[in-house]
Amino acid sequence: MTPSSPANTQHTARLALRTDQQEGIANTVRHLRRPHTRGHVVSACGTGKTLLALRASEELGVRHLAVAVPSLDLVAQWAAAARAERSLARKGRVTPGRAAQLDALDPDWRLPHGADWHRKYHALRRHLEAGPHPATLTRDTVIGETKAGSWLHRQLATFDRLEPGQRDLLTHIGLTPGQIDLDHPHRTAGRRSFAQTVQILALFLQRWQRTPGAREWIEVDGERVMIGPWLAKTRTKLNAGQLPARQQQLLSQVLAEHGLETAAAPVPVDWTEDG
């Protein structure tokens, strides 16, 4: 924390402090007002460390508050608490220049769709960026302690009624009603649909910018998918005229998107239907 001149703190209509919290804030402020000092507050979970830090920073007239936490979920918690305390944009304490800097870092730093929505969205985003393909998601998908699958199902079921910004964020990571099917049943080994395997092929092409070799594989959601042998067999069927027209369209579309020759002209298809 970087103290400046003391600020007049207004606690009206805000969360009332318990006696122990008031004492903790008073002790923290008294200690940190000493020149060239540091402090370490130790407090049990649920006793209000976030609130203590926010109120103490106001008492100290802090201009800049650096928050270091181990997860984005806690960042969202801090942002929500700060808004509730009226210590950011609601009190006009973010100057236009500072707001522009924050907008450049993340246009959604104000969490316009609510802290919980952004927390679950970013849990899904990080999950997909780590390697798993959207085709592996189901309504039962759980990421950490977040029931991401059921949350995503609600977003897709009401997609047309979401805010434009919410639709844009979901579209950016490939989560739209026309791209994934959360209701596909849990499959056993060897029962993946053709459309799902084509999407996994697309993931390989995007990652390595080439087609897989005959013995190559890719790991998807903890499972090794032998994408090279699958493509070799599929091309054999294609050359023999044994590949159904719809499957030809799916394969052709993905290959064409990566500048590869195809046996059939790519046409728009519905990814949600099984091949």
Side-chain angles (χ1 to χ4, degrees):
M1 288 188 275
T2 306
S4 62
S5 59
N8 293 326
T9 305
Q10 298 292 331
H11 295 300
T12 306
R14 296 195 296 178
L15 187 65
L17 296 172
R18 300 191 307 268
T19 301
D20 62 300
Q21 292 174 324
Q22 294 174 1
E23 293 176 353
I25 292 172
N27 292 336
T28 299
V29 171
R30 186 183 310 113
H31 176 77
L32 292 179
R33 276 184 175 156
R34 298 171 183 171
H36 311 294
T37 190
R38 298 179 180 180
H40 185 191
V41 176
V42 180
S43 181
C45 293
T47 55
K49 291 187 292 294
T50 300
L51 182 61
L52 183 151
L54 288 169
R55 295 284 178 91
S57 68
E58 287 188 355
E59 294 288 348
L60 291 165
V62 165
R63 295 178 57 191
H64 302 288
L65 180 64
V67 180
V69 291
S71 72
L72 289 177
D73 293 349
L74 292 177
V75 172
Q77 173 184 314
W78 261 89
R83 287 200 308 274
E85 283 292 295
R86 300 178 182 177
S87 59
L88 287 177
R90 285 186 181 181
K91 289 184 70 174
R93 294 183 62 179
V94 175
T95 65
R98 180 59 173 164
Q101 292 176 330
L102 291 170
D103 286 337
L105 290 173
D106 182 358
D108 296 317
W109 69 272
R110 300 176 193 267
L111 305 181
H113 312 304
D116 186 66
W117 194 96
H118 284 275
R119 177 178 65 83
K120 292 174 179 176
Y121 166 80
H122 285 294
L124 264 172
R125 178 187 59 77
R126 294 193 304 271
H127 175 73
L128 296 176
E129 288 178 351
H133 194 273
T136 63
L137 298 173
T138 71
R139 291 179 66 172
D140 298 324
T141 297
V142 176
I143 303 171
E145 297 182 356
T146 301
K147 296 181 179 179
S150 58
W151 176 84
L152 180 57
H153 179 265
R154 292 193 297 273
Q155 308 310 306
L156 297 179
T158 59
F159 197 78
D160 292 339
R161 299 197 295 275
L162 295 178
E163 294 291 330
Q166 292 173 303
R167 294 197 297 268
D168 290 343
L169 287 170
L170 290 169
T171 300
H172 180 69
I173 58 175
L175 299 179
T176 64
Q179 291 178 295
I180 61 172
D181 177 15
L182 295 177
D183 292 317
H184 61 80
H186 291 291
R187 62 172 191 84
T188 57
R191 302 280 298 184
R192 184 182 293 105
S193 73
F194 187 91
Q196 289 173 336
T197 310
V198 168
Q199 288 182 307
I200 294 174
L201 172 63
L203 177 63
F204 186 100
L205 296 173
Q206 180 179 4
R207 185 175 295 177
W208 283 286
Q209 299 299 310
R210 60 175 177 81
T211 55
R215 296 187 178 183
E216 285 194 277
W217 53 271
I218 183 173
E219 186 169 319
V220 177
D221 206 17
E223 178 186 358
R224 180 177 293 191
V225 179
M226 303 302 295
I227 195 65
W230 176 87
L231 180 59
K233 291 179 182 178
T234 301
R235 279 178 163 167
T236 298
K237 290 182 179 180
L238 179 64
N239 294 335
Q242 299 174 351
L243 201 64
R246 174 168 173 71
Q247 294 183 358
Q248 290 185 36
Q249 293 171 356
L250 287 171
L251 182 62
S252 297
Q253 179 176 338
V254 167
L255 293 177
E257 287 174 353
H258 291 82
L260 301 172
E261 293 185 0
T262 58
V267 296
V269 294
D270 184 356
W271 287 90
T272 65
E273 295 183 11
D274 218 5

Short mmCIF file of all heavy atoms in Angstrom, two decimals, residues 140-175:
data_model
loop_
_atom_site.label_atom_id
_atom_site.label_comp_id
_atom_site.label_asym_id
_atom_site.label_seq_id
_atom_site.Cartn_x
_atom_site.Cartn_y
_atom_site.Cartn_z
N ASP A 140 -22.17 -32.35 -17.03
CA ASP A 140 -21.63 -32.78 -15.75
C ASP A 140 -20.20 -32.32 -15.52
O ASP A 140 -19.59 -32.65 -14.51
CB ASP A 140 -21.67 -34.31 -15.66
CG ASP A 140 -23.09 -34.85 -15.74
OD1 ASP A 140 -24.00 -34.19 -15.19
OD2 ASP A 140 -23.29 -35.91 -16.34
N THR A 141 -19.63 -31.55 -16.45
CA THR A 141 -18.25 -31.11 -16.31
C THR A 141 -18.08 -30.23 -15.07
O THR A 141 -18.82 -29.27 -14.86
CB THR A 141 -17.80 -30.32 -17.56
OG1 THR A 141 -17.83 -31.19 -18.70
CG2 THR A 141 -16.39 -29.79 -17.39
N VAL A 142 -17.09 -30.57 -14.26
CA VAL A 142 -16.75 -29.80 -13.06
C VAL A 142 -15.29 -29.39 -13.17
O VAL A 142 -14.43 -30.24 -13.43
CB VAL A 142 -16.99 -30.59 -11.77
CG1 VAL A 142 -16.54 -29.79 -10.55
CG2 VAL A 142 -18.46 -30.98 -11.64
N ILE A 143 -14.99 -28.12 -12.99
CA ILE A 143 -13.62 -27.61 -13.04
C ILE A 143 -13.29 -27.07 -11.67
O ILE A 143 -13.82 -26.04 -11.24
CB ILE A 143 -13.48 -26.51 -14.11
CG1 ILE A 143 -13.89 -27.04 -15.48
CG2 ILE A 143 -12.05 -25.98 -14.15
CD1 ILE A 143 -13.98 -25.96 -16.54
N GLY A 144 -12.39 -27.76 -10.97
CA GLY A 144 -12.15 -27.39 -9.59
C GLY A 144 -13.41 -27.64 -8.78
O GLY A 144 -13.90 -28.77 -8.71
N GLU A 145 -13.95 -26.59 -8.22
CA GLU A 145 -15.22 -26.69 -7.49
C GLU A 145 -16.36 -26.02 -8.26
O GLU A 145 -17.45 -25.86 -7.74
CB GLU A 145 -15.09 -26.06 -6.11
CG GLU A 145 -14.07 -26.76 -5.22
CD GLU A 145 -14.00 -26.14 -3.84
OE1 GLU A 145 -14.69 -25.14 -3.61
OE2 GLU A 145 -13.26 -26.67 -2.99
N THR A 146 -16.08 -25.63 -9.52
CA THR A 146 -17.07 -24.94 -10.33
C THR A 146 -17.84 -25.93 -11.20
O THR A 146 -17.23 -26.67 -11.98
CB THR A 146 -16.39 -23.88 -11.22
OG1 THR A 146 -15.70 -22.95 -10.40
CG2 THR A 146 -17.42 -23.15 -12.08
N LYS A 147 -19.16 -25.93 -11.10
CA LYS A 147 -19.99 -26.78 -11.95
C LYS A 147 -20.14 -26.09 -13.31
O LYS A 147 -21.17 -25.53 -13.66
CB LYS A 147 -21.33 -27.02 -11.30
CG LYS A 147 -21.24 -27.80 -9.98
CD LYS A 147 -22.60 -28.04 -9.37
CE LYS A 147 -22.49 -28.84 -8.08
NZ LYS A 147 -23.82 -29.06 -7.44
N ALA A 148 -19.05 -26.16 -14.07
CA ALA A 148 -18.97 -25.41 -15.31
C ALA A 148 -19.94 -25.92 -16.36
O ALA A 148 -20.48 -25.14 -17.15
CB ALA A 148 -17.54 -25.46 -15.86
N GLY A 149 -20.16 -27.22 -16.41
CA GLY A 149 -21.05 -27.78 -17.43
C GLY A 149 -22.49 -27.31 -17.27
O GLY A 149 -23.12 -26.89 -18.24
N SER A 150 -23.01 -27.37 -16.06
CA SER A 150 -24.40 -26.95 -15.84
C SER A 150 -24.53 -25.44 -16.05
O SER A 150 -25.54 -24.96 -16.57
CB SER A 150 -24.87 -27.34 -14.44
OG SER A 150 -24.03 -26.76 -13.45
N TRP A 151 -23.49 -24.68 -15.63
CA TRP A 151 -23.52 -23.22 -15.87
C TRP A 151 -23.52 -22.93 -17.36
O TRP A 151 -24.32 -22.11 -17.84
CB TRP A 151 -22.31 -22.57 -15.22
CG TRP A 151 -22.21 -21.10 -15.50
CD1 TRP A 151 -22.83 -20.08 -14.84
CD2 TRP A 151 -21.43 -20.47 -16.54
NE1 TRP A 151 -22.50 -18.86 -15.39
CE2 TRP A 151 -21.64 -19.07 -16.44
CE3 TRP A 151 -20.59 -20.95 -17.54
CZ2 TRP A 151 -21.04 -18.16 -17.30
CZ3 TRP A 151 -19.99 -20.04 -18.40
CH2 TRP A 151 -20.21 -18.66 -18.28
N LEU A 152 -22.67 -23.61 -18.13
CA LEU A 152 -22.60 -23.37 -19.57
C LEU A 152 -23.91 -23.78 -20.24
O LEU A 152 -24.37 -23.11 -21.18
CB LEU A 152 -21.43 -24.15 -20.18
CG LEU A 152 -21.25 -24.01 -21.69
CD1 LEU A 152 -21.07 -22.53 -22.09
CD2 LEU A 152 -20.06 -24.83 -22.16
N HIS A 153 -24.53 -24.85 -19.77
CA HIS A 153 -25.81 -25.27 -20.34
C HIS A 153 -26.85 -24.17 -20.21
O HIS A 153 -27.62 -23.90 -21.14
CB HIS A 153 -26.30 -26.54 -19.65
CG HIS A 153 -27.63 -27.03 -20.17
ND1 HIS A 153 -28.83 -26.71 -19.55
CD2 HIS A 153 -27.96 -27.79 -21.25
CE1 HIS A 153 -29.82 -27.25 -20.22
NE2 HIS A 153 -29.33 -27.90 -21.25
N ARG A 154 -26.87 -23.50 -19.06
CA ARG A 154 -27.83 -22.40 -18.87
C ARG A 154 -27.52 -21.24 -19.82
O ARG A 154 -28.45 -20.60 -20.34
CB ARG A 154 -27.80 -21.93 -17.42
CG ARG A 154 -28.34 -22.93 -16.42
CD ARG A 154 -28.59 -22.30 -15.06
NE ARG A 154 -27.37 -21.80 -14.45
CZ ARG A 154 -26.55 -22.53 -13.69
NH1 ARG A 154 -26.83 -23.81 -13.48
NH2 ARG A 154 -25.47 -21.99 -13.15
N GLN A 155 -26.24 -20.97 -20.03
CA GLN A 155 -25.88 -19.87 -20.94
C GLN A 155 -26.31 -20.19 -22.37
O GLN A 155 -26.85 -19.33 -23.08
CB GLN A 155 -24.36 -19.62 -20.91
CG GLN A 155 -23.77 -19.42 -19.53
CD GLN A 155 -24.51 -18.40 -18.70
OE1 GLN A 155 -24.73 -17.27 -19.11
NE2 GLN A 155 -24.92 -18.82 -17.49
N LEU A 156 -26.10 -21.43 -22.80
CA LEU A 156 -26.44 -21.80 -24.17
C LEU A 156 -27.95 -21.87 -24.37
O LEU A 156 -28.46 -21.53 -25.44
CB LEU A 156 -25.80 -23.16 -24.52
CG LEU A 156 -24.27 -23.19 -24.49
CD1 LEU A 156 -23.77 -24.60 -24.82
CD2 LEU A 156 -23.67 -22.17 -25.44
N ALA A 157 -28.67 -22.31 -23.31
CA ALA A 157 -30.13 -22.41 -23.42
C ALA A 157 -30.79 -21.04 -23.52
O ALA A 157 -31.89 -20.91 -24.08
CB ALA A 157 -30.68 -23.17 -22.21
N THR A 158 -30.12 -20.01 -23.00
CA THR A 158 -30.68 -18.65 -23.04
C THR A 158 -29.77 -17.73 -23.84
O THR A 158 -29.74 -16.52 -23.59
CB THR A 158 -30.84 -18.11 -21.60
OG1 THR A 158 -29.56 -18.11 -20.95
CG2 THR A 158 -31.81 -18.98 -20.81
N PHE A 159 -29.04 -18.28 -24.80
CA PHE A 159 -28.00 -17.53 -25.51
C PHE A 159 -28.55 -16.25 -26.14
O PHE A 159 -27.92 -15.20 -26.07
CB PHE A 159 -27.37 -18.41 -26.59
CG PHE A 159 -26.05 -17.90 -27.10
CD1 PHE A 159 -24.89 -18.08 -26.36
CD2 PHE A 159 -25.97 -17.24 -28.31
CE1 PHE A 159 -23.67 -17.61 -26.82
CE2 PHE A 159 -24.76 -16.76 -28.79
CZ PHE A 159 -23.61 -16.95 -28.04
N ASP A 160 -29.73 -16.33 -26.74
CA ASP A 160 -30.30 -15.17 -27.41
C ASP A 160 -30.70 -14.07 -26.44
O ASP A 160 -30.88 -12.92 -26.85
CB ASP A 160 -31.53 -15.58 -28.24
CG ASP A 160 -31.15 -16.45 -29.43
OD1 ASP A 160 -29.97 -16.39 -29.85
OD2 ASP A 160 -32.02 -17.19 -29.92
N ARG A 161 -30.85 -14.42 -25.16
CA ARG A 161 -31.26 -13.43 -24.16
C ARG A 161 -30.07 -12.90 -23.35
O ARG A 161 -30.27 -12.06 -22.48
CB ARG A 161 -32.31 -14.04 -23.23
CG ARG A 161 -33.58 -14.48 -23.95
CD ARG A 161 -34.73 -14.69 -22.99
NE ARG A 161 -34.50 -15.78 -22.06
CZ ARG A 161 -34.75 -17.06 -22.32
NH1 ARG A 161 -35.24 -17.41 -23.51
NH2 ARG A 161 -34.53 -17.99 -21.42
N LEU A 162 -28.88 -13.40 -23.63
CA LEU A 162 -27.70 -12.88 -22.93
C LEU A 162 -27.36 -11.48 -23.42
O LEU A 162 -27.76 -11.08 -24.51
CB LEU A 162 -26.50 -13.80 -23.16
CG LEU A 162 -26.58 -15.23 -22.60
CD1 LEU A 162 -25.32 -16.00 -22.98
CD2 LEU A 162 -26.76 -15.21 -21.09
N GLU A 163 -26.59 -10.76 -22.62
CA GLU A 163 -26.10 -9.46 -23.05
C GLU A 163 -25.13 -9.67 -24.23
O GLU A 163 -24.45 -10.70 -24.31
CB GLU A 163 -25.36 -8.76 -21.91
CG GLU A 163 -26.24 -8.39 -20.73
CD GLU A 163 -27.22 -7.27 -21.10
OE1 GLU A 163 -26.87 -6.44 -21.97
OE2 GLU A 163 -28.31 -7.23 -20.51
N PRO A 164 -25.07 -8.70 -25.15
CA PRO A 164 -24.14 -8.84 -26.28
C PRO A 164 -22.71 -9.13 -25.84
O PRO A 164 -22.01 -9.94 -26.45
CB PRO A 164 -24.24 -7.48 -26.99
CG PRO A 164 -25.62 -7.00 -26.67
CD PRO A 164 -25.89 -7.48 -25.27
N GLY A 165 -22.27 -8.50 -24.76
CA GLY A 165 -20.92 -8.74 -24.28
C GLY A 165 -20.72 -10.17 -23.81
O GLY A 165 -19.64 -10.76 -24.01
N GLN A 166 -21.74 -10.75 -23.18
CA GLN A 166 -21.65 -12.15 -22.75
C GLN A 166 -21.56 -13.07 -23.96
O GLN A 166 -20.76 -14.02 -23.97
CB GLN A 166 -22.86 -12.50 -21.89
CG GLN A 166 -22.89 -11.80 -20.54
CD GLN A 166 -24.17 -12.05 -19.79
OE1 GLN A 166 -25.27 -11.78 -20.29
NE2 GLN A 166 -24.06 -12.57 -18.58
N ARG A 167 -22.39 -12.82 -24.97
CA ARG A 167 -22.34 -13.66 -26.18
C ARG A 167 -20.98 -13.54 -26.86
O ARG A 167 -20.42 -14.54 -27.34
CB ARG A 167 -23.46 -13.26 -27.14
CG ARG A 167 -24.86 -13.54 -26.61
CD ARG A 167 -25.89 -13.53 -27.74
NE ARG A 167 -25.98 -12.23 -28.37
CZ ARG A 167 -26.84 -11.29 -28.01
NH1 ARG A 167 -27.67 -11.50 -27.00
NH2 ARG A 167 -26.88 -10.13 -28.65
N ASP A 168 -20.42 -12.34 -26.89
CA ASP A 168 -19.11 -12.15 -27.53
C ASP A 168 -18.03 -12.94 -26.80
O ASP A 168 -17.16 -13.56 -27.43
CB ASP A 168 -18.74 -10.66 -27.55
CG ASP A 168 -19.61 -9.87 -28.52
OD1 ASP A 168 -20.25 -10.49 -29.39
OD2 ASP A 168 -19.64 -8.63 -28.40
N LEU A 169 -18.05 -12.91 -25.47
CA LEU A 169 -17.03 -13.63 -24.71
C LEU A 169 -17.13 -15.13 -24.93
O LEU A 169 -16.12 -15.82 -25.11
CB LEU A 169 -17.17 -13.31 -23.22
CG LEU A 169 -16.72 -11.91 -22.79
CD1 LEU A 169 -17.12 -11.63 -21.35
CD2 LEU A 169 -15.21 -11.76 -22.95
N LEU A 170 -18.35 -15.67 -24.93
CA LEU A 170 -18.53 -17.10 -25.14
C LEU A 170 -18.15 -17.50 -26.57
O LEU A 170 -17.52 -18.54 -26.79
CB LEU A 170 -19.97 -17.50 -24.85
CG LEU A 170 -20.38 -17.45 -23.37
CD1 LEU A 170 -21.88 -17.59 -23.22
CD2 LEU A 170 -19.66 -18.53 -22.57
N THR A 171 -18.51 -16.65 -27.53
CA THR A 171 -18.17 -16.94 -28.92
C THR A 171 -16.67 -16.94 -29.13
O THR A 171 -16.13 -17.74 -29.90
CB THR A 171 -18.83 -15.91 -29.85
OG1 THR A 171 -20.25 -15.95 -29.69
CG2 THR A 171 -18.50 -16.20 -31.31
N HIS A 172 -15.97 -16.06 -28.40
CA HIS A 172 -14.52 -15.94 -28.55
C HIS A 172 -13.80 -17.24 -28.21
O HIS A 172 -12.74 -17.54 -28.79
CB HIS A 172 -14.02 -14.81 -27.66
CG HIS A 172 -12.54 -14.60 -27.73
ND1 HIS A 172 -11.90 -14.10 -28.85
CD2 HIS A 172 -11.55 -14.84 -26.81
CE1 HIS A 172 -10.60 -14.04 -28.63
NE2 HIS A 172 -10.36 -14.48 -27.40
N ILE A 173 -14.35 -18.03 -27.30
CA ILE A 173 -13.70 -19.30 -26.93
C ILE A 173 -14.45 -20.50 -27.51
O ILE A 173 -14.27 -21.63 -27.06
CB ILE A 173 -13.56 -19.43 -25.40
CG1 ILE A 173 -14.92 -19.34 -24.70
CG2 ILE A 173 -12.62 -18.38 -24.86
CD1 ILE A 173 -14.83 -19.59 -23.19
N GLY A 174 -15.29 -20.25 -28.53
CA GLY A 174 -15.93 -21.34 -29.25
C GLY A 174 -17.08 -22.00 -28.54
O GLY A 174 -17.37 -23.18 -28.79
N LEU A 175 -17.76 -21.27 -27.64
CA LEU A 175 -18.87 -21.86 -26.90
C LEU A 175 -20.18 -21.19 -27.31
O LEU A 175 -20.62 -20.22 -26.71
CB LEU A 175 -18.63 -21.70 -25.39
CG LEU A 175 -17.38 -22.37 -24.84
CD1 LEU A 175 -17.24 -22.12 -23.35
CD2 LEU A 175 -17.38 -23.86 -25.13
#
